[in-house]
Amino acid sequence: KDTSVAPCKKAKESWVFLNADQNKNTSSSLLGSMEFFAGSLPTTSFNVTTKLIQLNQDTFDNSFSTNLNSSVLIEIPETNSKHLTITTLTFHTLRNVLPARNGSNQSANDNTINGVVVMVKLNGTTKNVSLSFDKFNKSLTFNPQCVFWNFSLFNSLGGWDDTGCKLKSNEKGKVTCHCNHLTSFSILMSTSIPKEIQDALDIITYVGVGISMGSLVICLIIEACVWKAMTRNNTSYMRHVSIVNIAVSLLIADIWFIIDTRTPIPACTAATFFIHFFYLALFFWMLISGLLLFYRTILVFSHMSKSTMLAIGFSVGYGAPLIIAVVTVAATAPSGGYIKENQACWLNWDKTMALLAFVIPALTIVVINFLILIVVLYKMLRRGVGDATQPDERNAVVVIARCLAILTPFFGLTWGLGVGTMIDPTNKGIHVVFALFNSLQGFFVLVFGTLLDGKVCV
């Protein structure tokens, strides 16, 4: 167990608090004193290495290259000067001290310092220095910035500036920068999707959710119109009860999704609770459909009354989601780890992993329904469909099987991509596909849940 993690976390929280004071430049002053110290050293070669700091001083003629603890490669080409002294001071944890604000944005929420902070001093001048930084978080790929600490930014509070520095490459876990001056350098990288991509995702999401909501309303209207004709036996009745509740759950979840954006914390907590509950209800009613399919194809000689089916359906379809949603909010809300911070209202991942209270049940149901489909398919191929059932019930069984065969992989893919966005939050492709598929769930429920039944369209 790494016993240094907790102290480092507490130290970072302390510096975040200090840097929030707009009247003091505490972290900037600390770096300034370090630079003053390094500039006051005698001109002799030496190397001092500790766990957190590496201090090097070397003399060279014409050109210089060094790899500092395999974390940053510094190269200075021809200088046409001799007997130069270069001092480098590498800080492995100064990223926990300095804020990630840069010259274009005083907020540090969207950026992170993703490399060591290295100070480079030379008793001469150069207009060409190359620095190759190893990334701390190699999964971050968006918007790398080659920066130096500018003490005069933000009314002398200090901040990162890219003047005189250019990005040369961003590949294989390294970022290479070229700068025309020497000072304290590092790299900033975006911890979220850039605004232009986020705007495109918002358009995809809201257009898709609009289509989804319209499709669900049409689905419910069709179900109301054909209800009496399509629910003459228990199997058909429970199938259409499941479809209606799937549509209602998804429609209410989509409505909450549309109205919840950036609300105050109490309202956001309520919105997150209802979105969580109704998305879970969607999956548990999918499970009811799977269990109904299993019951009508495997337990063909068993006869369950309509009232018993309804009792089981509503207990599982809404009871289980309610328990999970209530336990989740009760366990995580008191510690402030229930909802995302400074984002759209949804379950927290970084602090408490509350999102697992949705992901685990949803993907578990997808797996169960997939196994049911395999068993039912085997049964259909071996013995036919519903040997002891009436033609109308056999039709209902086939429709349920078709519906689950399409919607189960679809929902599994959709929310599997959701897990992908958590694992790799800066992957543009995963975000685009997830936004597209997730926002169109209602359309697929209409097509494959209702219109797929040929008798509905007669």
Side-chain angles (χ1 to χ4, degrees):
K1 182 179 179 180
D2 187 357
T3 56
S4 66
V5 172
C8 285
K9 183 178 180 180
K10 290 182 178 179
K12 184 175 181 179
E13 292 174 352
S14 299
W15 280 104
V16 168
F17 174 77
L18 291 171
N19 289 326
D21 189 341
Q22 299 298 305
N23 298 314
K24 296 181 179 180
N25 58 352
T26 310
S27 58
S28 188
S29 297
L30 175 64
L31 179 61
S33 64
M34 292 287 189
E35 289 196 5
F36 177 79
F37 164 75
S40 304
L41 295 172
T43 56
T44 57
S45 297
F46 63 88
N47 177 11
V48 178
T49 301
T50 68
K51 184 178 180 180
L52 303 180
I53 297 176
Q54 183 177 0
L55 174 62
N56 290 80
Q57 189 162 278
D58 297 285
T59 58
F60 69 96
D61 296 324
N62 298 324
S63 62
F64 176 78
S65 177
T66 185
N67 191 347
L68 299 176
N69 202 26
S70 300
S71 57
V72 58
L73 173 64
I74 301 176
E75 294 179 307
I76 299 177
E78 296 289 334
T79 61
N80 297 321
S81 299
K82 294 186 177 181
H83 306 299
L84 292 174
T85 301
I86 185 170
T87 305
T88 60
L89 190 55
T90 308
F91 305 93
H92 291 274
T93 57
L94 203 62
R95 62 195 177 104
N96 296 325
V97 174
L98 295 170
R101 59 184 178 233
N102 60 13
S104 59
N105 183 10
Q106 189 166 356
S107 172
N109 291 335
D110 295 331
N111 289 324
T112 185
I113 302 170
N114 203 26
V116 298
V117 177
V118 58
M119 185 219 70
V120 184
K121 280 190 172 292
L122 185 70
N123 66 339
T125 59
T126 182
K127 292 187 176 181
N128 191 359
V129 57
S130 173
L131 303 103
S132 294
F133 293 90
D134 276 359
K135 297 179 186 177
F136 284 122
N137 185 349
K138 298 185 186 301
S139 67
L140 295 182
T141 58
F142 284 139
N143 196 28
Q145 303 171 62
C146 299
V147 290
F148 70 96
W149 188 258
N150 187 336
F151 292 90
S152 63
L153 285 181
F154 304 119
N155 296 322
S156 297
L157 285 176
W160 296 103
D161 192 351
D162 62 358
T163 303
C165 290
K166 293 183 179 180
L167 173 71
K168 288 301 180 182
S169 67
N170 173 28
E171 56 186 13
K172 297 180 180 178
K174 286 184 177 290
V175 173
T176 300
C177 308
H178 282 186
C179 297
N180 60 15
H181 57 84
L182 297 176
T183 182
S184 294
F185 301 97
S186 192
I187 53 172
L188 292 182
M189 298 195 73
S190 176
T191 57
S192 59
I193 297 178
K195 185 179 184 301
E196 61 275 12
I197 300 175
Q198 187 61 57
D199 290 343
L201 290 177
D202 288 343
I203 293 172
I204 292 172
T205 299
Y206 285 105
V207 171
V209 169
I211 294 172
S212 179
M213 292 171 65
S215 300
L216 292 169
V217 171
I218 294 172
C219 175
L220 292 173
I221 292 173
I222 292 174
E223 289 292 334
C225 292
V226 302
W227 185 262
K228 288 185 179 180
M230 299 300 297
T231 57
R232 292 174 179 172
N233 60 70
N234 288 358
T235 305
S236 293
Y237 181 81
M238 280 305 301
R239 161 178 149 65
H240 285 276
V241 167
S242 297
I243 288 296
V244 166
N245 282 281
I246 287 172
V248 168
S249 298
L250 183 54
L251 179 60
I252 296 175
D254 284 346
I255 291 172
W256 274 102
F257 173 81
I258 290 293
I259 67 175
D260 78 65
T261 54
R262 277 71 174 182
T263 55
I265 289 179
C268 192
T269 299
T272 300
F273 175 83
F274 285 111
I275 293 172
H276 183 204
F277 170 71
F278 283 108
Y279 272 141
L280 281 178
L282 158 70
F283 277 94
F284 275 95
W285 277 105
M286 285 283 293
L287 176 62
I288 295 299
S289 294
L291 295 176
L292 178 63
L293 177 64
F294 183 83
Y295 168 70
R296 294 314 302 162
T297 53
I298 304 303
L299 305 175
V300 292
F301 297 107
S302 175
H303 297 283
M304 191 181 299
S305 67
K306 186 182 294 186
S307 59
T308 302
M309 287 183 175
L310 283 175
I312 294 174
F314 279 89
S315 297
V316 175
Y318 291 118
L322 181 61
I323 292 172
I324 295 172
V326 169
V327 170
T328 303
V329 69
T332 59
S335 62
Y338 181 59
I339 59 176
K340 288 183 175 182
E341 295 179 358
N342 304 315
Q343 299 183 52
C345 301
W346 188 223
L347 298 170
N348 183 282
W349 170 252
D350 297 323
K351 187 174 181 180
T352 61
M353 294 188 178
L355 186 55
L356 290 177
F358 171 74
V359 172
I360 292 176
L363 295 186
T364 300
I365 290 171
V366 168
V367 172
I368 292 172
N369 276 359
F370 184 72
L371 294 176
I372 288 174
L373 283 169
I374 293 175
V375 173
V376 169
L377 179 61
Y378 177 78
K379 167 73 162 75
M380 288 179 174
L381 293 175
R382 284 289 302 269
R383 300 174 56 190
V385 183
D387 298 329
T389 59
Q390 297 298 318
D392 284 348
E393 290 204 56
R394 287 200 293 271
N395 175 75
V397 168
V398 171
V399 172
I400 295 171
R402 288 176 182 172
C403 178
L404 288 181
I406 295 171
L407 289 182
T408 293
F410 173 76
F411 285 132
L413 173 63
T414 297
W415 293 104
L417 289 169
V419 176
T421 64
M422 296 186 296
I423 297 173
D424 190 0
T426 60
N427 189 306
K428 293 183 290 185
I430 292 178
H431 278 278
V432 170
V433 177
F434 174 69
L436 180 64
F437 283 172
N438 194 51
S439 63
L440 290 173
Q441 289 180 98
F443 174 74
F444 285 94
V445 169
L446 169 65
V447 173
F448 300 111
T450 298
L451 300 183
L452 188 71
D453 190 342
K455 290 191 174 184
V456 169
C457 301
V458 174

